[in-house]
Amino acid sequence: MNLANCPRCGKVFVMNFKGVCAACLKDIENEYEACVKYLRDNKGAHMQELSDETGVSVKQITTFIREGRISTASAPNLSYGCEVCGTFIHEGNICESCRAKLTGDLREAAKEQPKAQKNTSSGAYKAVDRFRND
């Protein structure tokens, strides 16, 4: 049995797939219901307005959006910051420009990696590729 401290309230609980105790899980569900109810009545609500009116933290609302529980399609004014640059986005973790930069950086690293790995094996055993013509 894995025991852990709940990250929200600090109580000891039996670890589950959600990572919070049963009492906090119930609180999270109540917060979700409050957000959904408010958004049904106020489709044009912004993130801060939703947080102020429901008492749910912006961080928790962002978690609901990232989990897909709250759709930004039905509430177009809900946005949160990109994890890299802070630009407001409606889905995912990073904005399109940061994603493009990351993709470019990974391509550059992939091009440099084979050059750096060539003949670096100095172990007792060496793998031989019989189909490779070097």
Side-chain angles (χ1 to χ4, degrees):
M1 177 172 14
N2 285 338
L3 296 177
N5 286 59
C6 179
R8 284 179 58 113
C9 69
K11 292 180 184 174
V12 176
F13 73 106
V14 177
M15 189 59 135
N16 57 33
F17 69 97
K18 285 289 192 176
V20 295
C21 69
C24 289
L25 187 57
K26 188 175 180 179
D27 289 343
I28 290 170
E29 290 305 312
N30 290 338
E31 289 175 351
Y32 170 71
E33 290 298 324
C35 289
V36 169
K37 185 178 183 212
Y38 186 80
L39 287 172
R40 279 187 194 129
D41 298 334
N42 305 286
K43 293 191 184 298
H46 292 276
M47 184 72 78
Q48 193 59 50
E49 176 188 347
L50 178 60
S51 177
D52 293 342
E53 294 297 322
T54 60
V56 179
S57 70
V58 171
K59 182 178 178 183
Q60 186 61 53
I61 296 169
T62 302
T63 301
F64 291 147
I65 295 170
R66 287 190 177 143
E67 289 174 346
R69 297 181 75 185
I70 293 178
S71 171
T72 56
S74 61
N77 292 332
L78 289 183
S79 58
Y80 52 93
C82 166
E83 289 183 1
V84 178
C85 68
T87 301
F88 289 111
I89 56 175
H90 296 282
E91 63 183 1
N93 293 333
I94 60 176
C95 65
E96 196 58 44
S97 63
C98 289
R99 185 175 297 131
K101 183 178 179 337
L102 180 62
T103 303
D105 291 347
L106 287 172
R107 283 194 187 121
E108 287 299 315
K111 287 179 186 176
E112 294 172 7
Q113 187 176 11
K115 295 173 189 173
Q117 282 187 345
K118 210 169 200 175
N119 294 330
T120 59
S121 176
S122 61
Y125 300 100
K126 212 177 210 184
V128 177
D129 187 358
R130 288 187 271 174
F131 303 107
R132 192 171 172 185
N133 296 328
D134 278 340

